[in-house]
Amino acid sequence: MTTGISKTAVDPTGFSTPCLFYSAAREGMQDLLAQPEVWRSSPRRILLPAFIGWSANEGSGVFDPVSGLGLEPGFYDLGDDLAVDLASLERCLSDQHYDVVVVIHYFGRTERSIERVRALTDEHGALLLEDLAHAWFTHVLGGPAGRTGEVSLYSLHKMLPMPQAQGGMIAYRNPARITGQQETARELARHVLDHDALSIAGRRQENFRTLTALLEAMPEHGAAFELMWPHLDADDAPQTLPARILGPGRENRDHVYASMNADGYGMVSLYHTLIAELHEHEAMVDLSRHIINFPVHQDVAPEDYPGLVDSFSRALASLPAR
Ligand SMILES: Cc1ncc(COP(=O)(O)O)c(C=O)c1O
């Protein structure tokens, strides 16, 4: 018997997470879900969270592969802060067999129940697909996001200045899930290494904390708007800072969006409209009418925020529904 330690690592399977590259994450998700090996039962059922957006320009990043492949979707509930409602997830899995369960780490915040979700998907024989479209830098910080499911998806163009605004990466923590997949954009892989991901994560955290402090100090805080996540965990690197603009309908949010963008501040409302399949999920529809996302990306510096907050203040001073 030979014992000892080799001079360098030679085991190709150690910590291996093979990654496939595509022009967008949805293309890679569709490539995975098109594999017959994923499906053990018919119809092909996939369980998704009840907050999935759609827009005329972009379609739906998460749902397009589901409708494109004619899969049968089910939806579990989320709390007000978009965390998984475990009781609802458990109920769905007991009522019906699903071969795939999707968890979204919304706006880069780690879904803190992800390990419990993995235990449930294992119990029910489903593949756990972690959607980290917004969470590449969170993954880099070393927490459970992207280290728990069998497969993780990343939208590179949402996180990095990619050529032609393209890029999606699917990481296979369970390489046995790679069967007949065909990546389409290998050349995009280098852009991931061409950036100092840890420093970007740090900048995003600093931006988030600076902006949170400024927003919390505004007199309108709590009256005209609420922060969704006032606290940032040490292993979360946010994609954006989500807030709720208060008011009866969507008018106030749409006004803030238009007014601040006219001032040159790149606000987004990522999930301003939900896919039609979710129209009965009233709490989520309501959130989609009020949510707005402030930029915290790496091109922003903390000193840029006072100007943004002034613009926000002006927008709140002229809300249509007060
Ligand atoms: C949560 C989520 N998952 C997946 C996607 C798909 O990303 P991509 O635009 O790279 O296909 C998006 C974007 O639309 C998203 O917001």
Side-chain angles (χ1 to χ4, degrees):
M1 188 175 94
T2 3
T3 53
I5 295 176
S6 60
K7 292 188 182 184
T8 58
V10 291
D11 175 6
T13 62
F15 300 95
S16 164
T17 48
C19 293
L20 303 182
F21 288 83
Y22 299 85
S23 60
R26 68 193 75 184
E27 195 195 343
M29 180 175 171
Q30 176 142 344
D31 198 16
L32 163 69
L33 298 178
Q35 301 306 310
E37 291 82 355
V38 168
W39 307 102
R40 301 201 195 129
S41 54
S42 177
R44 297 173 296 169
R45 288 202 182 90
I46 180 165
L47 187 57
L48 301 142
F51 192 65
I52 295 177
W54 172 89
S55 77
N57 284 345
E58 291 214 22
S60 173
V62 192
F63 204 66
D64 285 355
V66 175
S67 43
L69 291 167
L71 308 179
E72 186 98 355
F75 299 95
Y76 59 88
D77 293 326
L78 302 168
D80 287 350
D81 63 349
L82 296 177
V84 172
D85 176 338
L86 280 173
S88 166
L89 180 78
E90 226 169 324
R91 223 170 18 250
C92 292
L93 288 172
S94 306
D95 286 354
Q96 194 82 268
H97 178 74
Y98 290 94
D99 280 320
V100 179
V101 173
V102 177
V103 167
I104 300 180
H105 299 276
Y106 286 99
F107 312 131
R109 192 172 81 143
T110 301
E111 167 49 60
R112 292 290 159 193
S113 304
I114 191 71
E115 277 148 16
R116 179 72 193 121
V117 175
R118 177 67 200 254
L120 284 171
T121 55
D122 283 353
E123 204 178 296
H124 290 271
L127 181 162
L128 173 56
L129 172 56
E130 281 186 74
D131 182 328
L132 294 108
H134 307 154
W136 166 242
F137 300 113
T138 295
H139 172 73
V140 166
L141 287 175
R147 289 187 179 78
T148 311
E150 288 187 71
V151 185
S152 303
L153 70 84
Y154 300 88
S155 178
L156 300 176
H157 66 93
K158 287 198 178 356
M159 304 269 93
L160 289 165
M162 298 290 288
Q164 282 85 50
Q166 289 199 340
M169 176 173 91
I170 313 291
Y172 286 84
R173 289 185 67 254
N174 178 4
R177 290 291 189 176
I178 302 180
T179 46
Q181 286 90 328
Q182 296 286 333
E183 64 185 335
T184 57
R186 276 184 101 115
E187 70 286 357
L188 297 181
R190 58 173 298 213
H191 295 278
V192 177
L193 296 178
D194 279 350
H195 289 86
D196 176 353
L198 266 183
S199 296
I200 292 175
R203 169 60 69 86
R204 284 173 176 259
Q205 290 184 317
E206 188 187 3
N207 285 344
F208 188 98
R209 293 193 176 110
T210 302
L211 182 55
T212 297
L214 290 170
L215 294 174
E216 279 180 333
M218 291 175 71
E220 299 90 343
H221 175 230
F225 73 95
E226 290 170 347
L227 298 180
M228 278 180 68
W229 299 327
H231 174 75
L232 183 70
D233 283 330
D235 58 0
D236 283 343
Q239 180 249 3
T240 50
L241 184 158
R244 269 198 198 80
I245 305 298
L246 304 178
R250 62 192 312 154
E251 301 80 19
N252 283 357
R253 190 274 313 280
D254 292 349
H255 169 77
V256 170
Y257 175 89
S259 167
M260 292 185 70
N261 278 293
D263 277 354
Y265 292 103
M267 301 293 285
V268 289
S269 287
L270 270 178
Y271 289 151
H272 56 75
T273 304
L274 297 191
I275 54 171
E277 286 75 1
L278 291 173
H279 283 177
E280 280 169 19
H281 289 253
E282 284 172 20
M284 293 294 112
V285 170
D286 189 65
L287 176 59
S288 74
R289 292 181 176 142
H290 294 93
I291 196 166
I292 197 160
N293 301 69
F294 290 83
V296 297
H297 57 73
Q298 57 270 29
D299 292 357
V300 186
E303 50 275 22
D304 299 330
Y305 284 124
L308 174 145
V309 168
D310 285 348
S311 167
F312 185 38
S313 207
R314 282 195 298 278
L316 293 177
S318 52
L319 289 178
R322 294 181 65 96

